[in-house]
Amino acid sequence: MKPLTEEVTVTMHAPLDAVWALVSDVTRIGEFSPETFEARWTRGSTGPEVGAHFAGHVKRNGVGPTYWSPCRVTVCEPPHAFEFAVGTDTTTINNWGYRLRPDGDVTHVTEYFRLEPSLPTRLYWLLLGRWRSRTNTEGMRTTLNRMKDIVEKESGR
């Protein structure tokens, strides 16, 4: 069976700290993502740290349905790694994250998703995984390229 994960890497001509500030500020995701058009910190959380909660307002496949997804930050290692789980307090469905690697005056940014390997998720992936994987991969590429445009402009590059 195909792995329940995919990733995309884009090189940004911007300093590591500037890229980190962008990927870890979930309130800006609406500027980049083709599916998540807004997000806000919830449950008293105000910024990126392990355990912080936020909700993403999603328009599935860019057309609907529209819903709020509860999320929880699971990895926050400034300025190199940021990951969050999507799901309830007791059940994680999906994980999304960013890995940042500096290389001279550029930063290589990898966005990835990883589905939890539960039986329902494995069945879903077996039936619809090829299509959803393509949608997620295209969405990650779009997100990263939009981030690249903004962070390079903000960095004067």
Side-chain angles (χ1 to χ4, degrees), residues 1-7 94 113-118 121-134 136-137 140:
M1 175 183 286
K2 187 175 188 224
L4 307 176
T5 187
E6 294 288 345
E7 65 180 42
N94 196 354
F113 75 90
R114 182 182 66 255
L115 295 174
E116 289 298 303
S118 67
T121 303
R122 287 193 176 281
L123 292 173
Y124 163 80
W125 199 249
L126 183 64
L127 297 172
L128 300 173
R130 185 176 73 180
W131 293 282
R132 189 61 203 171
S133 177
R134 184 174 59 228
N136 284 356
T137 300
M140 290 185 293

Side-chain angles (χ1 to χ4, degrees), residues 3-4 16 43 69 79 89 93 149:
L4 307 176
L16 178 64
R43 298 185 183 188
S69 286
D89 287 342
I93 299 166
D149 290 344

Side-chain angles (χ1 to χ4, degrees), residues 2-3 7 19 24-25 51 68 79 83-86 93 96 98 105-108 119 127 129 139-140 144 153 156:
K2 187 175 188 224
E7 65 180 42
V19 178
S24 64
D25 183 356
W68 285 94
E83 181 179 299
F84 57 92
V86 178
I93 299 166
W96 289 87
Y98 298 92
D105 63 350
V106 302
T107 302
H108 304 287
L119 180 59
L127 297 172
M140 290 185 293
L144 289 175
K153 187 176 188 177

Side-chain angles (χ1 to χ4, degrees), residues 87-101:
T88 67
D89 287 342
T90 58
T91 305
T92 297
I93 299 166
N94 196 354
N95 302 276
W96 289 87
Y98 298 92
R99 291 187 306 270
L100 285 65
R101 186 175 56 82

Side-chain angles (χ1 to χ4, degrees), residues 21-145:
L22 205 58
V23 302
S24 64
D25 183 356
V26 300
T27 65
R28 292 189 70 182
I29 195 62
E31 298 174 51
F32 318 118
S33 173
E35 285 192 338
T36 305
F37 58 92
E38 68 177 317
R40 62 178 174 233
W41 296 107
T42 60
R43 298 185 183 188
S45 298
T46 59
E49 64 182 1
V50 172
H53 291 268
F54 67 95
H57 206 182
V58 176
K59 186 178 250 185
R60 184 71 169 205
N61 297 319
V63 294
T66 301
Y67 53 90
W68 285 94
S69 286
C71 303
R72 179 179 40 83
V73 177
T74 54
V75 175
C76 188
E77 299 169 0
H80 299 287
F82 182 73
E83 181 179 299
F84 57 92
V86 178
T88 67
D89 287 342
T90 58
T91 305
T92 297
I93 299 166
N94 196 354
N95 302 276
W96 289 87
Y98 298 92
R99 291 187 306 270
L100 285 65
R101 186 175 56 82
D103 184 12
D105 63 350
V106 302
T107 302
H108 304 287
V109 184
T110 300
E111 183 177 5
Y112 60 91
F113 75 90
R114 182 182 66 255
L115 295 174
E116 289 298 303
S118 67
L119 180 59
T121 303
R122 287 193 176 281
L123 292 173
Y124 163 80
W125 199 249
L126 183 64
L127 297 172
L128 300 173
R130 185 176 73 180
W131 293 282
R132 189 61 203 171
S133 177
R134 184 174 59 228
T135 298
N136 284 356
T137 300
E138 289 170 4
M140 290 185 293
R141 192 174 294 13
T142 296
T143 297
L144 289 175
N145 282 322

